[in-house]
Amino acid sequence: MVYVLNKNGVPLMPTKRHGKVRRMLKNGQAKVVRRCPFTIQLLYDTTNYTQPINLGIDAGSKHIGVCATTEKEELYCADVELRKDIVDLISTRRENRRSRRNRKTRYRKARFNNRKKGDGWLAPSIRQKIDCHLQIVENVHKILPITKIIVETASFDIQKIKNPNIQGEEYQQGEQFNFWNVREYVLFRDNHICQCCKGKSKDNILNVHHIESRKTGGDAPNNLITLCETCHSGYHKGTVTLPKTIHRGMTFRDATFMGVMRWAFYNELKKRYVDVSMTYGYITKNTRIKNNLPKEHYVDARCISGNPLAKSLGYYYFEKKIRRHNRQIHKSKILKGGRRKRNHAEYLVKGYRLFDKVSYNGHTYFIFGRRKSGFFDIRNLNGDKVNKGSISCKKIKLIEKAKGYLAEIRKQAMWEYAIPTTA
Ligand SMILES: [Zn+2]
């Protein structure tokens, strides 16, 4: 898929006509503005014809699934791996500050108790994740004329569980659908742990068991309990007995913690874009299982976008977020002899920076380590080294300068669509 911008940089519908793109680039009717994802800009006036495009975002704390679809086909698909080092870096900074301020220096007024956290303050680890989500949405808007954004804000709808008689369009999808919602809630309430063996069976498959039969007990959360498949089938065969504490009407601790990150992301999106709506995890899960799709972040995003059966691209962009700065303050380990470690790395070594995208033997890699001798450690995003990691910089070619994320193209998991039943 080649993404197309008009003369003023506004995104148009993308194209698959590679021959035409090549011809236009050769004739000087277009120019390349980005290599990954491949984006061109037209250099002549055109009509701005677009179709409705939905952008589905599977927000998460470790991975983000991104998928832009029209009713018929998938236009963009990505899996983004987020940074995990924020908590660590912040606590190093805190340690450094503490020790600096405890040193005996001139008298300075205590400053720790006179500052207020601003409105909407979030922990830096969460702030960073939200900013990252917003950046990704913005990047997609730069290459595609997105008309609607859909995000998953929570895995279940707590309002609907508290008040099953709630009215509204999205609430009229039948009893079975309601059970999917309660099911997600019960799994969350029980911490995704089997309440019979407490995880001892090491069975990862979890079922939600009706304590009293569905007919007499119903689908209320206090009639449902999380069991692993081993215990669940054992119970129905009569080989496993449930603990006495599990009975209909038992009281549970309230599931109070709700992910703050996804809601904050949703609210910020609503401030920035016109058409933003939300969905729940149980709906996504239901769509994915009903259509026999594999469990991948980008597939969840495609279900969230509302077009689960759109024609697949066959590939997706795998992106890994990285740290842009390398501050000396973070290298504060004191070496033997009381000397602080120097920040050795130079800005450029033989013209290359850390994380530059390069080609070697026809494959693309990233620079993970540089030596002054000109021998570099180059790897792909799985972390596989090339040739035990020593490649002369004369044998590599720069493809793209380092950015805030590393991106490569990967093959999508294969699947067959479920055959629609005519019942
Ligand atoms: Zn169990």
Side-chain angles (χ1 to χ4, degrees):
M1 195 64 83
V2 177
Y3 302 96
V4 185
L5 310 181
N6 76 5
K7 208 176 170 186
N8 305 318
V10 180
L12 303 171
M13 292 307 282
T15 177
K16 274 183 177 164
R17 297 166 67 189
H18 292 224
K20 193 182 173 190
V21 169
R22 212 170 295 132
R23 210 162 50 240
M24 285 200 312
L25 287 171
K26 213 173 164 190
N27 297 344
Q29 289 174 303
K31 63 172 184 184
V32 180
V33 285
R34 236 173 125 184
R35 297 212 158 264
C36 186
F38 197 77
T39 312
I40 60 165
Q41 183 170 15
L42 303 178
L43 299 172
Y44 58 92
D45 288 312
T46 44
T47 50
N48 294 346
Y49 162 76
T50 57
Q51 284 167 288
I53 302 176
N54 288 359
L55 176 65
I57 305 281
D58 178 21
S61 60
K62 289 184 190 117
H63 278 265
I64 312 176
V66 186
C67 192
T69 54
T70 61
E71 226 169 88
K72 282 191 189 132
E73 61 176 344
E74 193 173 68
L75 301 179
Y76 178 82
C77 192
D79 180 352
V80 185
E81 195 182 297
L82 293 171
R83 288 173 58 181
K84 293 172 266 204
D85 54 351
I86 304 294
V87 177
D88 214 39
L89 289 173
I90 294 284
S91 51
T92 315
R93 185 181 73 181
R94 187 170 55 236
E95 271 169 32
N96 281 329
R97 280 185 177 164
R98 273 276 66 78
S99 72
R100 192 162 70 237
R101 286 170 190 170
N102 277 329
R103 260 175 246 152
K104 188 150 176 60
T105 50
R106 65 189 163 77
Y107 179 69
R108 185 164 63 184
K109 255 190 182 169
R111 282 208 336 142
F112 54 86
N113 221 0
N114 59 358
R115 277 165 286 178
K116 194 175 110 201
K117 283 177 175 135
D119 278 346
W121 179 90
L122 291 162
S125 53
I126 296 177
R127 182 79 264 166
Q128 190 276 141
K129 285 187 205 308
I130 294 170
D131 290 346
C132 186
H133 278 76
L134 291 167
Q135 186 63 53
I136 283 160
V137 174
E138 204 186 308
N139 286 348
V140 179
H141 274 81
K142 278 182 193 161
I143 56 169
L144 283 172
I146 303 290
T147 41
K148 186 182 172 121
I149 306 174
I150 306 155
V151 278
E152 195 183 282
T153 47
S155 51
F156 52 85
D157 182 355
I158 190 77
Q159 266 359 79
K160 196 174 157 195
I161 290 166
K162 281 183 182 159
N163 178 15
N165 300 324
I166 203 162
Q167 294 297 311
E169 198 191 328
E170 65 271 33
Y171 291 114
Q172 298 179 351
Q173 284 148 322
E175 221 164 287
Q176 187 56 32
F177 219 59
N178 185 39
F179 175 66
W180 275 82
N181 186 24
V182 184
R183 191 179 171 277
E184 283 301 309
Y185 168 77
V186 169
L187 287 169
F188 176 78
R189 180 197 67 194
D190 297 339
N191 274 328
H192 289 85
I193 292 170
C194 168
Q195 296 300 299
C196 174
C197 66
K198 302 279 175 189
K200 272 184 200 133
S201 72
K202 299 259 191 287
D203 188 349
N204 282 331
I205 303 169
L206 294 177
N207 295 164
V208 170
H209 167 63
H210 285 84
I211 299 170
E212 251 176 50
S213 79
R214 170 180 256 160
K215 226 174 188 175
T216 57
D219 279 341
N222 66 359
N223 187 37
L224 295 165
I225 193 89
T226 308
L227 295 180
C228 67
E229 196 149 89
T230 313
C231 294
H232 193 206
S233 60
Y235 171 77
H236 286 292
K237 275 183 215 153
T239 51
V240 173
T241 46
L242 299 183
K244 284 236 164 62
T245 47
I246 297 178
H247 56 84
R248 159 92 204 184
M250 59 194 279
T251 49
F252 294 93
R253 65 173 182 86
D254 240 11
T256 44
F257 169 76
M258 294 290 288
V260 56
M261 199 268 291
R262 292 198 276 182
W263 283 103
F265 169 55
Y266 173 64
N267 289 331
E268 296 244 348
L269 270 184
K270 275 210 294 198
K271 278 184 218 159
R272 293 174 191 212
Y273 301 99
V274 187
D275 196 350
V276 181
S277 61
M278 65 165 191
T279 180
Y280 291 100
Y282 75 96
I283 299 174
T284 312
K285 207 166 167 180
N286 190 9
T287 316
R288 173 161 54 77
I289 292 172
K290 209 168 64 192
N291 292 305
N292 199 22
L293 300 174
K295 167 128 197 53
E296 298 283 349
H297 297 285
Y298 57 86
V299 175
D300 273 350
R302 151 208 279 270
C303 294
I304 292 167
S305 80
N307 302 311
L309 297 180
K311 190 169 170 284
S312 163
L313 268 177
Y315 65 89
Y316 69 98
Y317 293 97
F318 178 76
E319 293 178 11
K320 198 178 168 127
K321 281 271 167 190
I322 48 155
R323 187 173 158 193
R324 298 301 301 277
H325 303 289
N326 191 19
R327 296 175 64 196
Q328 189 166 356
I329 197 170
H330 289 122
K331 297 193 170 172
S332 58
K333 278 251 169 67
I334 308 287
L335 296 172
K336 238 182 190 174
R339 278 228 309 269
R340 185 172 291 230
K341 213 176 190 174
R342 298 257 319 148
N343 205 359
H344 286 294
E346 278 169 30
Y347 189 79
L348 288 172
V349 176
K350 309 275 182 196
Y352 291 98
R353 282 200 75 185
L354 196 66
F355 298 130
D356 277 348
K357 193 179 193 178
V358 295
S359 80
Y360 170 74
N361 271 353
H363 295 280
T364 52
Y365 295 99
F366 295 93
I367 296 179
F368 273 75
R370 302 167 299 164
R371 282 169 188 269
K372 267 190 183 162
S373 61
F375 280 85
F376 295 165
D377 172 7
I378 61 173
R379 304 180 192 187
N380 63 15
L381 286 189
N382 280 333
D384 301 330
K385 282 188 184 185
V386 182
N387 206 6
K388 287 181 187 153
S390 258
I391 299 295
S392 166
C393 66
K394 285 172 192 156
K395 288 183 186 163
I396 58 177
K397 215 178 117 195
L398 182 73
I399 299 178
E400 218 170 11
K401 285 265 172 206
K403 288 183 291 192
Y405 59 87
L406 313 179
E408 69 182 17
I409 291 177
R410 290 191 178 178
K411 243 184 169 167
Q412 284 194 12
M414 295 300 287
W415 70 79
E416 277 171 37
Y417 290 115
I419 300 149
T421 46
T422 44

